[in-house]
Amino acid sequence: MSESRYQATSSDGKEILRILESSAASGSIELIYTRRPDAYESYMKEPGEARVFISRDGARAVGTCAQLISDVYVGGEACRTSYVCGLKKDAQYEGGIGFGPDFIRSLSLCDADIFYCSVVADNKEAQRIFKSGRRLIEMKPFSEYRTFILSPRVKIKGRINGDLSFLRASTEDEDELLSFLSREGRKKDLFPVVDSFDKFHGLSVGDFYLLRDGGRIVSAAALWDRTDCKQYVVKKYRGIMRLARVINPLLSLLGYIRLPKEDEPLRFPMLSFFLAENDCEEYYITLLSHILKASKEKHEILVIGLPKEHFAYRIYERLPSIHFDTVFFSVSFPFCDKKSKEIDPKALYPECAVL
């Protein structure tokens, strides 16, 4: 893979962070997705290989982007994927973002079977930037994705099977857990290949919860805290959410999260790698109910992301939550013959914690 002249180094971490925080997503909640305390080092903690980019106007850093290369399942097989993310222009800069044809060509040189990106639905600037380079890069939407921010005190509707065993995973469960994640994960497109927990920064077998039926694992999920390197920060509440801040004590009684203060990072674990055998809703709801009960004294907020095609999406859609939407795009390069593998939107399930 050739090096791009835009390739960032560890010395660019503070500049990248400044650009990421230069503007918030629009809407009733102005939210910043950031990577404190050092954006470059944060990207280096992603599983697989990370390439971070920065563009400049003279000495001034004006734009940033990253390419995360990792192993995922597609069509039941492990493959390499290139996820283009973090595209952001310095909101205080009036010129263009500065990434030219050489940058796009360098992205295409990655040895990957699939190229894709995700853009927050309200981030029209990033969508415009990508579309402006359509002679060199083509983007086609293939899924809508929603990230749910919810309270562990919510009430789950659905059948909970009291005959199933719930437990916190231990080192003795590791081999069986990895086998379960491989067996069920390969049924999902873009689900990470989890053959070792070591490549996932801050994740261990003890972060997982298991549901067993007759001794065998039938569902598993982790509470993975990544707030040491990736955060959400509320910059401002607008419109109806300003009222919600006032009546928040009442809303929290109805199951909504306690709204965080402005300019303070949210502290939460991600509800990650959540799989149920053969997408069994009873297994899923039972494990979710147990995890919520186990975490409500320790955590104020849990976060999970799901494609709208995922079978469990309707479970979370019925729960009181704050949420935001993302659009997934497949990426291709008209100037080269590289063919990407096809992603099945109905099987799509990327892990929110690594997006």
Side-chain angles (χ1 to χ4, degrees), residues 153-277:
R153 293 175 173 79
V154 295
K155 305 293 184 183
I156 301 297
K157 296 179 180 179
R159 185 173 186 272
I160 297 172
N161 190 330
D163 295 328
L164 303 175
S165 301
F166 169 75
L167 66 154
R168 185 86 173 261
S170 67
T171 53
E172 288 77 15
D173 302 303
E174 184 164 351
D175 289 343
E176 186 184 0
L177 174 58
L178 288 172
S179 178
F180 174 81
L181 294 173
S182 173
R183 183 176 69 252
E184 294 300 321
R186 68 178 57 249
K187 299 174 184 178
K188 304 296 182 184
D189 281 6
L190 297 187
F191 190 85
V193 174
V194 188
D195 49 19
S196 167
F197 298 123
D198 292 339
K199 66 182 181 182
F200 298 94
H201 171 75
L203 181 70
S204 68
V205 64
D207 295 314
F208 279 83
Y209 293 88
L210 310 177
L211 196 69
R212 291 184 178 274
D213 183 2
R216 65 188 178 87
I217 298 174
V218 295
S219 188
L223 289 182
W224 186 14
D225 189 344
R226 303 207 67 195
T227 54
D228 66 326
C229 60
K230 297 169 70 171
Q231 307 89 21
Y232 298 128
V233 181
V234 175
K235 294 303 293 182
K236 186 177 290 186
Y237 293 99
R238 293 186 179 275
I240 189 66
M241 292 309 298
R242 289 180 65 86
L243 174 61
R245 284 277 289 153
V246 175
I247 62 172
N248 196 214
L250 174 60
L251 292 176
S252 64
L253 293 176
L254 299 176
Y256 287 89
I257 68 168
R258 295 187 177 97
L259 294 176
K261 295 179 180 179
E262 294 174 348
D263 287 321
E264 288 189 7
L266 280 67
R267 300 294 178 186
F268 60 88
M270 309 290 294
L271 192 53
S272 299
F273 306 106
F274 202 148
L275 293 168
E277 186 177 75

